[in-house]
Amino acid sequence: MAITPIDVLYTAVATAENGRDGRVASDDGKLDVVVNPPKELGGSGAGTNPEQLFAAGYSACFQGALGVVARQAKADISGSTVTAKVGFGKTPEGGFGLTVELSAHIPAVDAATAKELLEKAHQVCPYSNATRGNIEVTLSVV
């Protein structure tokens, strides 16, 4: 899949120390967290982990994309939420990979409209565009 060039409007910068068992901080100081592997992966679980950070970023970004497509469709998404579940595991090739489940609760629209909005948001969201063809992403309305 070819990489599509973009006109960069913003660049986030973060630096990790000691990988999955250390610290991650943004260059502006707004993010500074301890990261530890979760207990399920043999770690202490004392800090956050990269999968939680990815889930947080993806859910926030997808919620923003949902707002864009909802405005275009003149649909009411007030009171909506997006939850991202990021799974971490072994690939058949012996490496590691991720899966993502995105679920949205959109109380002000019917299920068919909600599903349509999710599909459209999945085409707009930068995280969805970055992961498309690389990891399994499932969408659901709750």
Side-chain angles (χ1 to χ4, degrees):
M1 178 160 101
I3 296 175
T4 304
I6 64 169
D7 181 16
V8 175
L9 302 174
Y10 168 75
T11 300
V13 178
T15 302
E17 297 172 8
N18 297 322
R20 297 179 65 86
D21 204 0
R23 178 179 159 261
V24 176
S26 61
D27 65 333
D28 63 4
K30 292 181 181 178
L31 176 72
D32 191 342
V33 296
V34 171
V35 290
N36 300 114
K39 289 181 180 181
E40 296 85 348
L41 297 178
S44 69
T48 190
N49 59 67
E51 292 72 37
Q52 288 175 324
L53 295 169
F54 188 74
Y58 203 159
S59 62
C61 188
F62 198 89
Q63 178 78 36
L66 184 61
V68 168
V69 299
R71 282 188 295 282
Q72 292 170 346
K74 297 186 181 358
D76 180 6
I77 63 161
S78 58
S80 67
T81 59
V82 173
T83 300
K85 294 181 181 177
V86 175
F88 173 90
K90 293 183 179 181
T91 65
E93 299 78 28
F96 295 96
L98 302 174
T99 63
V100 175
E101 297 176 32
L102 294 171
S103 59
H105 173 66
I106 312 173
V109 300
D110 61 77
T113 301
K115 183 171 174 40
E116 183 179 330
L117 290 171
L118 285 186
E119 293 292 339
K120 287 180 178 178
H122 193 44
Q123 298 306 309
V124 172
C125 176
Y127 276 67
S128 293
N129 289 332
T131 60
R132 187 170 291 108
N134 297 312
I135 66 173
E136 179 184 346
V137 177
T138 59
L139 306 175
S140 65
V141 176
V142 292

